[in-house]
Amino acid sequence: MNLICLDIEATDNGEMLELSVINHADCRMVYHSYFRPAIARSWPNSQAVHHITPAMVRDAPPVIKERRKIETLVNAADGIIGFAVDNDIRYLNGNNIDVRKDIRIIDVRDWFWYYKGKHLDIEFGSVPRLAKCAELLGFEFSEESEAHSAANDTMMTIKLFKALVEQSGMDLPLDEAIDRFETLFEEERRLYAEKMAHGYLSLLRTPKGYMLKNTHQHPASDAECFIEVAGRFQAEHDLREKFRKRESRADSNFFDLRKSDIEFFKAYNNVYDPEKEEYYRHLVKAKKKAKSGLNITFR
């Protein structure tokens, strides 16, 4: 199986500054280059992390001159390994480097969480930075002098991946081990999504009217009444639609509810539907952004 591991450092506006590519089989560096950005002249925020200065890339080639070479190298692989690799793919695409749609993506961050992080009670989706993961797996990797160089980060990512494959205990060919991991991880992702969908909707009485509150945790004691639901964003959408005619004229974040509305609220229930919950989660949050001062709390 032909796998490559890559890492990218970029400017504040997402232009590539450095790319490192290592072959998985023999840990050989097959590509490394700095790049001169076409637009950015400084990048103070990202420079504070990766320490690549404008002077360091002044004489480097622009990405456009290396584009075909990088595309050929990347798309000849069966899969790409990386740490938070979705960011690297986004940088490649954003710099007009097309990545094959069917190429296999292997995120070491996910492998770390499944085989190490969850046993340390690290929350799903909250894996620490690469240097911390290296430390937790027993590797020395200095945040100050080594991390955030694309070459160093790529080499450490390969080391972590190999260590995690070994730690998995799967005595399988690599492609089958990756297949097996993806099945296991997707089940964990499904369970986590279901867990986070579960929650509470509560009604709080205020001088302006009733306020609807959406939380994952048990509601605070100031709630006049609350319900427990399997899909809290679907529930919020349904209830807001039900109470739309009761919105306060002074502030649409509050409702002038009648006794029958409160009884409807208390009797409401739903069944978890992953597709609906994801849809309504995005819809509710989009409305929250669009509506200035919306008083809904998500936790």
Side-chain angles (χ1 to χ4, degrees):
M1 191 176 188
N2 176 23
L3 300 176
I4 57 171
C5 181
L6 59 79
D7 186 70
I8 294 168
E9 304 297 346
T11 62
D12 293 351
N13 69 346
E15 292 183 89
M16 285 168 53
L17 288 171
E18 184 185 14
L19 168 65
S20 175
V21 183
I22 290 178
N23 181 275
H24 165 263
D26 57 10
C27 297
R28 177 174 53 89
M29 183 79 71
V30 293
Y31 182 90
H32 179 268
S33 182
Y34 288 101
F35 307 105
R36 183 177 71 251
I39 298 173
R41 294 294 173 261
S42 64
W43 38 92
N45 295 328
S46 50
Q47 182 179 323
V49 176
H50 54 53
H51 309 302
I52 300 174
T53 66
M56 290 172 62
V57 298
R58 186 177 295 125
D59 299 322
V63 171
I64 193 169
K65 285 197 172 181
E66 295 288 294
R67 178 188 168 199
R68 295 300 180 195
K69 185 188 297 184
I70 296 168
E71 275 188 358
T72 300
L73 174 62
V74 169
N75 290 317
D78 297 315
I80 299 173
I81 303 168
F83 190 90
V85 69
D86 51 327
N87 293 327
D88 299 296
I89 300 299
R90 188 171 65 252
Y91 284 138
L92 290 171
N93 291 332
N95 285 268
N96 298 312
I97 296 167
D98 295 325
V99 178
R100 249 182 35 239
K101 299 298 182 187
D102 64 339
I103 202 163
R104 191 155 213 169
I105 304 300
I106 302 156
D107 199 326
V108 175
R109 177 181 54 182
D110 296 340
W111 282 70
F112 175 86
W113 179 82
Y114 189 84
Y115 290 113
K116 185 72 174 180
K118 70 176 182 175
H119 304 295
L120 298 173
D121 294 324
I122 294 173
E123 189 73 24
F124 185 96
S126 300
V127 171
R129 62 193 183 276
L130 178 63
K132 183 63 177 179
C133 291
E135 176 189 327
L136 291 171
L137 283 175
F139 292 96
E140 291 186 8
F141 193 53
S142 169
E143 183 78 28
E144 291 74 24
S145 61
E146 294 179 284
H148 308 302
S149 151
N152 290 338
D153 284 2
T154 309
M155 187 61 73
M156 181 51 66
T157 300
I158 279 284
K159 289 180 180 179
L160 293 188
F161 179 63
K162 288 178 178 285
L164 289 163
V165 170
E166 183 176 344
Q167 189 167 315
S168 74
M170 290 189 287
D171 187 17
L172 297 169
L174 185 57
D175 56 343
E176 293 181 29
I178 293 171
D179 286 341
R180 177 62 178 155
F181 167 77
E182 289 176 353
T183 299
L184 295 169
F185 187 76
E186 282 307 310
E187 177 62 12
E188 290 285 347
R189 192 198 302 273
R190 184 192 68 77
L191 292 172
Y192 179 76
E194 185 171 355
K195 171 187 170 186
M196 294 307 295
H198 172 272
Y200 302 87
L201 274 290
S202 54
L203 287 175
L204 282 70
R205 190 197 291 266
T206 78
K208 293 183 178 182
Y210 283 96
M211 183 172 67
L212 186 65
K213 197 170 184 180
N214 172 345
T215 58
H216 179 57
Q217 296 90 356
H218 198 281
S221 58
D222 59 348
E224 179 161 311
C225 57
F226 67 87
I227 54 173
E228 185 174 1
V229 293
R232 59 195 177 101
F233 287 99
Q234 180 181 343
E236 176 165 352
H237 174 268
D238 292 347
L239 291 166
R240 284 190 174 278
E241 286 297 303
K242 174 68 177 178
F243 299 154
R244 182 186 295 275
K245 292 181 180 179
R246 306 283 192 249
E247 286 181 356
S248 169
R249 291 183 179 182
D251 189 334
S252 62
N253 298 323
F254 298 89
F255 302 93
D256 298 319
L257 298 181
R258 300 174 181 176
K259 182 178 179 181
S260 60
D261 298 320
I262 295 174
E263 291 305 314
F264 178 89
F265 173 84
K266 290 179 179 178
Y268 177 91
N269 202 352
N270 64 18
V271 176
Y272 174 67
D273 181 316
E275 291 185 4
K276 282 185 179 180
E277 184 66 11
E278 184 66 8
Y279 172 77
Y280 287 125
R281 184 175 71 87
H282 286 293
L283 185 64
V284 166
K285 289 193 173 184
K287 287 181 178 179
K288 179 191 174 195
K289 285 184 179 180
K291 207 171 187 181
S292 175
L294 189 60
N295 290 313
I296 304 174
T297 302
F298 302 106
R299 288 199 293 266

